[in-house]
Amino acid sequence: MLKSEELEKRFQTLALPEQGRNLIRNIRNSPPARSVRSGPKNRSGDYSSRKMGLTIQYESGHYELAFVKMWERDEEVLEYWDQPLTIKIFYVRKDGRNHAVFYTPDFFLFYKSKAGFVEVKTEADLAELAKEQPGRYVRGKDGRWYSPPCEKYAAEFGLCYWIMTEAEFDRTYLRNIDFLEAFFRLDSAKLNDQECAFICGHVAAKPAVLLSDLIDVTLQAGIDTDIIYALIAFDLIYVDLSAAALKESDRVYVFINPAAADLYNPTEKLPNISDANAIRMAIGQSILYGESHAEIVNITSTEIWICGESQQKVIRLTHAQFEELFRSKKISGLKIQPESKYKEEVHRILNEASPKEFEEGLRRLDFVLQHLAGKKLDKTVVPPRTLHRYVAEYKAGQVSYGSGFVALIPNFHDRGNRIPRFPQEVRDKIKHYIENDYESIKQKNYSHVHGALTKDCEANGLIAPSLTTFIKMAHQRPKHTQVRKRRGHKAANAVAPFSHWLEKDTPRQGDLPFQICHIDHTKLDVTFRCSVTGRILGRPWITFMSCANTRLLPAVYMTYDPPSYRSCLMVIRECVRRYGRLPQYLVVDGGKEFKSIYFRAFCAFFGIHLISREGKPRHGSTCERLFDTNRRQFANNLSGNTQIMKNVREVSKEVAPENHAVWTLGRAYPRLTEWAYDIYETNDHFNLKQSPREAFAAGISQTGSREHTKILFDDVFRTITLPTTRKGTAQIMLNDGVKVNNIYYWSDEFRHPGLVGKQVPVRYDPFNMGEAFAYVNGRWITGTSEYFWFFQGRTEREMLLAGSEIRRRGQLLNRNRTLTAKRLAEFIGSLEQEENSLRTERILLQRSRDVELRDVHALINGGQSSSTKPLQLPAIGQASNTIEEPLSGKEVYESSHIVSKESHEQLEELDLMEELNW
């Protein structure tokens, strides 16, 4: 991002007028003019830009994100801003009337030599828009798209305006940029010189080396594959990043420099019949057989039929014989001729032909070829007149289509009377009643709607269709649309079309471990009890983080609280504790917890790119299927599971889940982590054909361990995962300290006279409201609440519930009193005397749930409970002296003193007896 002095110099270089300079200053100093949104056809998100030092919004995960990646690596681009401002443009509509519209460009670009607005559109969308708004979108003679009204607006400020399409970026290049992103941030001074020399020497010894071979040699020498990708990122060895994806290492050639790549010509590589410029294996394709012209007339699973130009005989070759003749250059493809004007017709005939029609065409071709070879055919097999017709069609096809076989293909599918039986007026009525009467929330059946249609037709003197015809036409409507209009969008998810990977970009699952991860929440289908009182606390929420590439589960988290930023930060904390790394892309749904300023700020701090999907099960989340797997393999095997509640009217008291609930949160969470980290990760996955743990190990071996991206699970990291207030800072008050969430926190550090009245950054632990943290004199210090004895160990959610109750009581009493820590403590302390209040019950229930949650946090914090030992925070930037190795799921499980199935069952039995006697 440019500094003020550099910006002014660029203004002078571009000779921008003053109004243009003011416009750019306004764009740089203002937030985005609008927030992007995801929909059924787009995926929005935030890209953590290192060039800009902030997050950049994009509204299309396929197109806008691609340009953002390009600009991030383009040295000519100095700055780029998303949703810069809203402008008003004027253009002439299709009907000739003047029209004005407010419009927000997608980006503003500041190049070294120019600056202007950018709109990103697809070629298909622009073609449609040009028909509807010909005055706004125009295709130039050079093939590019232009917007005259937008260009006119930009020109008033001395700026440019560009429309960019998918034709202007290379998907393979962008995929490789994503693959190498971690190495662009690596310090080249940290590379081992001997290892680099070994790899560079191996590459320089040959004209070219396949990346797969280089990886094998590197691993055999005991060198991490990280060195290879780091050398590629620093241009110390050369790979054409537009030629093939680095993930497909057997297709990538590595050179010592670009000059060696230009000189390389793989003459030793023999072509095969699938080469693009050799022979197109298709019926009707012309080839050169020896010195004569020939035609491919049939292709089967075992043979290829070739007919010579004399049409006297058909040669049948196996696929192996054909390939051998091709390799020996006895068969070759003809030079590409100009496209025939009949190409579209030939393409239509071949596309519409059924297997039965192809079979009949081959039968007729056999008769024709035998006749042309001089062989007499039996009249009982094929009549003479029919044979002459076949021969005439064959010869006419050679003239018209360039292939006689195409003319012999019959069109059985076009036979019969194709004229509709009902007049257009009746068909319009049928369509109207299906769309407006049958496809409605009333969910009428076919008979009722057909009856209304029949009555309408008779009243207008029309012949009504039968019920069978009406049902048949109703079934021709899109199933997804029909179910959505009758039963709602949630029911329509089951019949919604899948989101297929159609673009040649980074695959939906990513190219390497931790490149794309998903976070999502669901309720566990098990009812839990309180470990202290034995009361029913309900069903907890579980949060999964899933690695899309390997299907690994880096982290799971369980809590009674509904999904919030706290759940997101805790599951991320667990991921770092176990693996010491964070994902490159994080896919989330439209939940408000993922739009939290705390969550988004954390992702921006660590450079995590956010992708927001619409939130439907078929829109690309690996967690959706994982929920069902967890339900079948884990939840449904626990006492108190809620399977039976599917038929709630059949549930009697003796089989109700709450009467069989024995599990507590503290006991269930270690079992959940055991299932996720030890059972699920070691079972073979259907799509991977191996276990997630094996896929992860193979991926790390092939794509590099990326050790330089590791994050220490220390107090510094714990500090970063703590949220802050909406403002982010608090003022130090004399004798009171800092006020965080309506609670004052004090530390002796605040006594310094120079700190009084100063705004300082603050953070707090949402699971321990007894303490808060302030950044003073270059380090984080711990402040304790004025009612530490009471707030210690209490959660933010319990405080929010209590605060809501106080405000509600104040409204009922028509009092407007400030919420203070004293009033909050007094209220919560009086709850034991008001257990009959429904609102109070919610807070008491929350307190019980928070007590259960401490055992979960103890496991995530490495055995230390945040409620029993205050968190000591070092100064920002202070590193830990020791590196804490990530614990495996088994070690976590054993650290909780559950070392065997038998001992666990004994503990369950003892605790259950205590609970029954409480």
Side-chain angles (χ1 to χ4, degrees), residues 251 310 395 671 867:
R251 298 179 54 215
S310 63
K395 293 181 178 180
R671 287 295 193 173
S867 62

Side-chain angles (χ1 to χ4, degrees), residues 115 148 150 157 178 326 333 358 567 571 675 680 695 704 713 788 812 873:
C150 295
F157 299 91
D178 266 346
F326 178 82
F358 266 114
S567 303
V571 78
W675 171 84
Y680 177 81
F713 186 72
F788 176 80
L812 295 177
L873 302 178

Side-chain angles (χ1 to χ4, degrees), residues 85-96:
L85 79 168
T86 300
I87 64 178
K88 188 176 184 179
I89 59 174
F90 303 87
Y91 64 93
V92 179
R93 296 195 310 189
K94 187 177 181 180
D95 57 6

Side-chain angles (χ1 to χ4, degrees), residues 5-69:
E5 300 79 8
E6 297 173 334
L7 182 65
E8 295 300 326
K9 290 181 181 179
R10 291 292 171 184
F11 285 161
Q12 296 177 3
T13 303
L14 299 179
L16 289 176
E18 187 60 30
Q19 57 181 353
R21 301 183 183 190
N22 292 333
L23 181 68
I24 294 177
R25 294 189 189 104
N26 183 45
I27 291 173
R28 299 175 83 250
N29 297 326
S30 303
R34 58 182 287 268
S35 298
V36 299
R37 294 180 298 178
S38 295
K41 296 183 179 180
N42 73 300
R43 295 179 305 163
S44 64
D46 295 337
Y47 186 88
S48 298
S49 171
R50 296 180 62 84
K51 175 179 285 189
M52 297 297 295
L54 44 80
T55 57
I56 299 296
Q57 296 182 110
Y58 60 87
E59 202 157 21
S60 168
H62 281 300
Y63 304 106
E64 291 188 14
L65 178 59
F67 282 107
V68 169
K69 294 176 185 177

Side-chain angles (χ1 to χ4, degrees), residues 155-174:
E156 296 176 358
F157 299 91
L159 302 173
C160 304
Y161 188 91
W162 304 281
I163 296 179
M164 297 185 175
T165 67
E166 68 272 19
E168 300 183 45
F169 57 78
D170 185 351
R171 292 286 187 187
T172 302
Y173 172 79
L174 295 176

Side-chain angles (χ1 to χ4, degrees), residues 751-758:
R751 296 184 184 277
H752 193 283
L755 295 178
V756 177
K758 186 177 180 180

Side-chain angles (χ1 to χ4, degrees), residues 552-568:
L552 196 77
L553 284 177
V556 296
Y557 177 64
M558 182 186 292
T559 178
Y560 285 112
D561 295 342
S564 66
Y565 72 91
R566 295 179 288 270
S567 303
C568 300

